[in-house]
Amino acid sequence: MNFRIYDPLEVKLLLRKKNSILASLRKKKLKNKFKIAILGGSSTEDIKLFLEIFLLMRDIKVDFYESDFNSYYEEAVFGEGELYSFKPDIVFIHTTLRNIKIPPIKSNNECDKLKNEILHKFETIWSHIQERLNCTIIQNNIEFPLVRSFGSSDSSHNLGKISLINEVNDYIYNYAKKHSGFYVNDIGYLSSYHGLENWHHERSWSMGKYSFNYSLLPYFSFNLFSIIESIYGLKKKVLVLDLDNTLWGGVIGDDGIHNIKIGPDDPESESFSRFQEYIKHIQGTGVVLAICSKNDMANALEGLSHPHSILKKKDFVSIKANWEHKSSNIIEIAKELNLGLDSFVFIDDNPVEREEVRNILPQISVPEIGKDINDYIKIINQCNYFDRLDWSEEDTKRTNLYSENLERADELIKFVDYQDYLESLEMKSIVKEFDNENFNRIHSLINKTNQFNLTTKRYADSEVASVINDNNKIGLYGKLIDKFGDNGLITVMAGSIDHKKSTFTIDMWCMSCRVFKRDMEFYFFNKIIDKIKLHDIKEIIGIYTPSKKNKIVESMYNKLGFIEKDSNSENQTFILKTEDYKLINTKIGENNDC
Amino acid sequence: MTANDLVEEIIRDVTNNHNEIISSETQVMSIEGWDSLAHLNIIFAIEAEFNLKIELGEIENFKKVADLLEYIEKNT
């Protein structure tokens, strides 16, 4: 591909060239990753087409199933069509206002009856799918109508359409809160963002049976794509920022601390403050911040010490202020944080710097943020880099976790012997079986880890839940604490027991890159062996599935004493007799409090 | 690029038809890949490129490529 289609979305290009873009993307050689079924209450053909384009751009190949036109209810509830034999990983239910018939209502009773009918219909669909498929569901909420019956009081009047839609939406949100693996595609937001007058579009309905303006389809599918990216843990983790004319107006090295534009004094300064506030919000969702600026370090730090700068030195896990190429600095940051470049976003006001980084590091997202500071937030927001489906307390602590790692690196310099260094860290760990208390963190670790990930498998919520509930499955997690701080829950493993053969197969094993080279994997495996022995297991089967990113664990099973049994182009299989396993010494002690 | 060339490019892009000979006398519905959805897409693209707002009633009158070109010439 020699053109950009997102960062931000090139909607006109996508609408015009969709067929040739898709044809060229389909030439990529990719393994089938998962299956999506689309149940439509109106046309879905090009929703699917754009979704496929975005997924292929991200190297994800998908098999699709589309229901017959407007047969979403029949297929989900009565099993018509091939939905259930297709066995999708994700079902997307594309219902909109067009599928909710609201006749003129004369009484509160009639209104309640109608509302209950609508809710009952939805819940019947969801429960049938969840019972029979155990898969992830994405459901549209309902957008507002263009026309109101009661005018302004439509939202507060019992019989108002908007009031009814709000109640149905609340019901959808509550269902999402209570059911894991159920997510809302927020077309309420999308339709307000683009304007209801633009969203509702009779010509798109009459000519193509699309329930909203056909020219907004790329935005719609991109939103859906972002949800799917989040489900599979592919969202961005690091935001790298330039300083001059990005975090403040002016050039600190030339203008001096008193003349850079930040704070409440004039409209331009206020705009930069607003941008910093936005960045602070993004950080709050668990994204870590770094700086990459062509500046002297002293000037960079002086700028951040400006009394009106909302972002301070401590907000950044890495600050690169020098005169090297920005791409080289970003590579350094990625090494320090031990994170893949494809989880990085780089923001710079200078198009030349953006182009340099984009050319050298095509994996990084470098949005075209425009020339006006007032556009930055809007454009970055439209790129959906940081969408998050679940969120745990741990996410807010992430900046601290990485800063502590930098302190640990300083400590390492003091020691000549690595084992002495490990000893000095005073590490303590706890290993336990999967529990509901740590559900979100377990799920997100499995879906975010690319490097220490033996089988590269991703687990949907329902799969994590099945490890907890199924007696033939074992899932263990490990936490690690040391003298610099709590690293939190940093490793997970799950597998299944075959009682007849007395074997245990490790289906998934991940560890966060935060704790590489601490021997945590050996400590963890010692504990795995202890647990497995309780089930009278004679042999453990380990599988390594090579990927672009998990080379670091290619000899993991050899190190643990496994013997290679079988290998093909996709997997290598290893076997270990439990009685042959020799415990490996580490500098980690047991702690039941962390 | 002339209006004729641009319209032809739009038609080829949307229908993904890069071989067939398209002239101003070509019946639009006979072009391979031109269905009702492609029709809608082409109208959208023409509206965007030529900064036009084409009325629903007009759309049904576009039988030949020449009808489109004539409409564009009259309204831009």
Side-chain angles (χ1 to χ4, degrees):
Chain A
M1 299 287 287
N2 49 7
F3 43 80
R4 285 184 323 111
I5 58 168
Y6 45 60
D7 300 322
L9 275 192
E10 295 289 339
V11 173
K12 204 168 134 186
L13 181 79
L14 277 162
L15 285 168
R16 270 275 292 280
K17 308 262 184 194
K18 59 183 193 322
N19 290 315
S20 54
I21 292 173
L22 182 61
S24 77
L25 283 168
R26 277 184 174 163
K27 288 181 192 140
K28 281 191 179 186
K29 287 207 168 61
L30 301 168
K31 282 188 236 166
N32 252 9
K33 281 266 172 81
F34 56 96
K35 301 195 226 176
I36 299 178
I38 302 178
L39 302 185
S42 49
S43 289
T44 56
E45 191 183 337
D46 284 5
I47 290 176
K48 182 192 79 173
L49 186 149
F50 289 114
L51 183 59
E52 187 177 353
I53 288 179
F54 298 135
L55 288 163
L56 286 172
M57 286 290 289
R58 201 76 164 96
D59 288 344
I60 303 168
K61 195 177 166 196
V62 173
D63 281 339
F64 283 103
Y65 170 79
E66 276 178 285
S67 73
D68 284 340
F69 180 79
N70 202 12
S71 300
Y72 63 100
Y73 183 79
E74 291 76 5
E75 298 208 7
V77 178
F78 305 122
E80 287 174 17
E82 282 158 28
L83 170 68
Y84 290 108
S85 56
F86 178 68
K87 294 198 171 57
D89 301 291
I90 294 174
V91 174
F92 167 52
I93 305 167
H94 178 56
T95 47
T96 63
L97 187 59
R98 295 234 175 231
N99 303 106
I100 301 201
K101 300 271 173 295
I102 308 179
I105 301 168
K106 294 183 202 77
S107 70
N108 285 343
N109 269 352
E110 255 182 63
C111 182
D112 284 344
K113 201 173 150 225
L114 174 67
K115 189 173 70 203
N116 288 333
E117 270 170 22
I118 296 169
L119 300 181
H120 180 71
K121 191 172 171 184
F122 273 125
E123 182 139 7
T124 311
I125 295 172
W126 304 332
S127 59
H128 270 84
I129 294 172
Q130 284 194 319
E131 257 167 44
R132 294 182 61 179
L133 287 172
N134 196 18
C135 67
T136 301
I137 295 178
I138 303 175
Q139 166 72 54
N140 287 341
N141 57 358
I142 298 164
E143 76 276 37
F144 284 160
L146 189 59
V147 180
R148 306 175 293 189
S149 316
F150 290 86
S152 273
S153 51
D154 220 69
S155 50
S156 53
H157 198 290
N158 273 350
L159 307 183
K161 277 186 200 164
I162 292 185
S163 156
L164 178 78
I165 290 168
N166 278 335
E167 284 194 52
V168 173
N169 281 340
D170 279 344
Y171 184 81
I172 297 176
Y173 306 144
N174 278 324
Y175 191 91
K177 282 176 199 162
K178 285 184 200 143
H179 294 80
S180 63
F182 182 95
Y183 304 108
V184 180
N185 183 37
D186 193 354
I187 63 172
Y189 173 82
L190 214 56
S191 59
S192 334
Y193 188 94
H194 295 284
L196 289 175
E197 205 187 355
N198 188 26
W199 175 271
H200 293 289
H201 194 255
E202 282 314 311
R203 207 195 294 170
S204 297
W205 178 251
S206 61
M207 294 180 73
K209 289 288 172 281
Y210 281 91
S211 61
F212 57 91
N213 191 333
Y214 183 88
S215 58
L216 298 175
L217 270 187
Y219 295 106
F220 180 95
S221 293
F222 190 65
N223 208 61
L224 197 54
F225 162 68
S226 298
I227 296 173
I228 295 167
E229 264 193 313
S230 311
I231 291 173
Y232 289 94
L234 297 169
K235 302 309 287 187
K236 306 291 175 182
K237 298 169 188 167
V238 187
L239 179 55
V240 182
L241 297 144
D242 170 48
L243 291 176
D244 294 329
N245 289 317
T246 300
L247 285 192
W248 54 68
V251 177
I252 181 88
D254 296 339
D255 303 336
I257 179 100
H258 300 297
N259 296 314
I260 56 171
K261 293 200 170 293
I262 185 82
D265 298 336
D266 61 276
E268 200 189 345
S269 300
E270 270 186 296
S271 299
F272 281 101
S273 293
R274 212 165 29 246
F275 184 62
Q276 286 206 10
E277 246 167 55
Y278 169 69
I279 302 291
K280 190 80 189 161
H281 275 281
I282 291 180
Q283 184 195 36
T285 67
V287 173
V288 295
L289 308 178
I291 282 172
C292 178
S293 163
K294 284 193 174 157
N295 250 313
D296 288 335
M297 185 59 100
N299 288 335
L301 295 178
E302 193 183 15
L304 291 172
S305 70
H306 190 287
H308 287 128
S309 183
I310 294 160
L311 297 167
K312 302 291 182 195
K313 184 186 170 203
K314 66 172 170 39
D315 286 311
F316 299 93
V317 294
S318 179
I319 298 180
K320 301 283 172 214
N322 54 45
W323 303 93
E324 300 295 320
H325 288 304
K326 295 218 168 182
S327 55
S328 331
N329 277 319
I330 293 173
I331 292 171
E332 283 299 308
I333 297 171
K335 276 188 199 155
E336 280 170 24
L337 301 178
N338 213 350
L339 287 171
L341 285 165
D342 59 357
S343 57
F344 279 62
V345 176
F346 174 59
I347 307 287
D348 197 311
D349 66 295
N350 184 341
V352 178
E353 300 292 359
R354 292 201 294 265
E355 205 48 33
E356 190 263 333
V357 171
R358 205 179 278 137
N359 280 335
I360 308 280
L361 307 170
Q363 316 92 309
I364 295 191
S365 296
V366 186
E368 282 302 301
I369 49 170
K371 289 185 183 136
D372 183 347
I373 173 71
N374 290 306
D375 291 336
Y376 291 7
I377 299 175
K378 195 178 88 182
I379 292 171
I380 299 169
N381 175 61
Q382 270 189 302
C383 294
N384 293 358
Y385 294 128
F386 309 109
D387 284 22
R388 228 150 253 272
L389 296 173
D390 42 30
W391 179 90
S392 62
E393 291 260 330
E394 195 133 340
D395 289 317
T396 53
K397 294 186 211 149
R398 191 158 295 123
T399 296
N400 295 343
L401 290 168
Y402 282 105
S403 306
E404 284 158 12
N405 251 359
L406 297 179
E407 284 177 45
R408 287 179 193 108
D410 288 343
E411 181 87 359
L412 175 59
I413 298 167
K414 293 188 211 158
F415 290 90
V416 183
D417 184 283
Y418 194 74
Q419 289 300 320
D420 288 347
Y421 158 69
L422 288 181
E423 181 102 52
S424 79
L425 288 177
E426 298 165 20
M427 294 182 287
K428 297 258 186 285
S429 169
I430 183 166
V431 173
K432 279 189 171 176
E433 292 199 31
F434 282 14
D435 48 33
N436 286 320
E437 196 187 326
N438 292 288
F439 191 99
N440 285 347
R441 172 62 186 158
I442 292 167
H443 178 246
S444 81
L445 187 62
I446 299 170
N447 291 305
K448 266 191 275 203
T449 308
N450 295 314
Q451 299 178 83
F452 194 114
N453 185 340
L454 275 301
T455 55
T456 71
K457 282 204 179 146
R458 302 301 197 198
Y459 276 27
D461 300 77
S462 53
E463 290 171 287
V464 178
S466 102
V467 174
I468 298 178
N469 299 326
D470 187 338
N471 287 335
N472 293 321
K473 290 182 180 166
I474 301 178
L476 295 172
Y477 64 77
K479 297 184 176 184
L480 184 68
I481 193 165
D482 64 41
K483 71 172 176 184
F484 290 105
D486 187 351
N487 297 279
L489 194 159
I490 39 69
T491 184
V492 285
M493 182 280 315
S496 43
I497 303 172
D498 184 330
H499 288 290
K500 275 188 196 153
K501 295 183 188 156
S502 298
T503 58
F504 177 74
T505 307
I506 301 174
D507 181 57
M508 173 279 302
W509 183 8
C510 299
M511 189 171 82
S512 162
C513 50
R514 270 183 233 154
V515 295
F516 281 6
K517 295 192 179 158
R518 309 276 286 273
D519 290 349
M520 182 61 199
E521 59 274 37
F522 301 116
Y523 180 86
F524 190 52
F525 197 75
N526 290 344
K527 295 286 170 191
I528 292 172
I529 292 280
D530 288 349
K531 294 271 181 201
I532 283 169
K533 278 184 175 165
L534 300 175
H535 294 269
D536 206 23
I537 300 294
K538 303 264 185 307
E539 269 185 355
I540 304 177
I541 301 163
I543 296 157
Y544 170 65
T545 312
S547 75
K548 273 186 203 160
K549 291 182 170 177
N550 72 356
K551 207 168 162 41
I552 189 164
V553 288
E554 65 182 350
S555 54
M556 190 66 233
Y557 285 123
N558 302 95
K559 285 182 195 161
L560 292 167
F562 281 70
I563 292 161
E564 188 164 348
K565 190 86 182 165
D566 196 12
S567 70
N568 55 39
S569 60
E570 282 187 16
N571 293 317
Q572 295 164 21
T573 307
F574 299 83
I575 303 253
L576 174 75
K577 289 201 168 22
T578 35
E579 57 180 26
D580 291 347
Y581 182 68
K582 293 182 187 66
L583 285 185
I584 297 174
N585 279 330
T586 67
K587 302 291 180 191
I588 302 171
E590 198 160 321
N591 180 357
N592 292 317
D593 309 326
C594 72
Chain B
M1 193 182 277
T2 66
N4 289 25
D5 292 343
L6 187 52
V7 169
E8 185 178 333
E9 191 189 291
I10 290 171
I11 293 171
R12 291 199 184 283
D13 277 344
V14 174
T15 57
N16 207 18
N17 182 335
H18 301 278
N19 304 318
E20 203 174 316
I21 295 164
I22 297 174
S23 75
S24 57
E25 287 308 306
T26 308
Q27 295 285 324
V28 293
M29 292 307 280
S30 75
I31 298 172
E32 201 187 326
W34 188 307
D35 53 19
S36 67
L37 195 56
H39 197 98
L40 179 70
N41 261 289
I42 287 161
I43 299 296
F44 271 129
I46 287 172
E47 284 186 338
E49 291 292 344
F50 295 96
N51 200 16
L52 286 168
K53 180 94 185 86
I54 305 174
E55 298 300 322
L56 201 54
E58 291 286 348
I59 294 172
E60 288 161 17
N61 297 332
F62 299 140
K63 308 278 187 218
K64 287 187 300 188
V65 176
D67 301 333
L68 271 167
L69 294 171
E70 204 175 298
Y71 181 89
I72 292 166
E73 199 179 339
K74 265 192 209 158
N75 292 281
T76 49

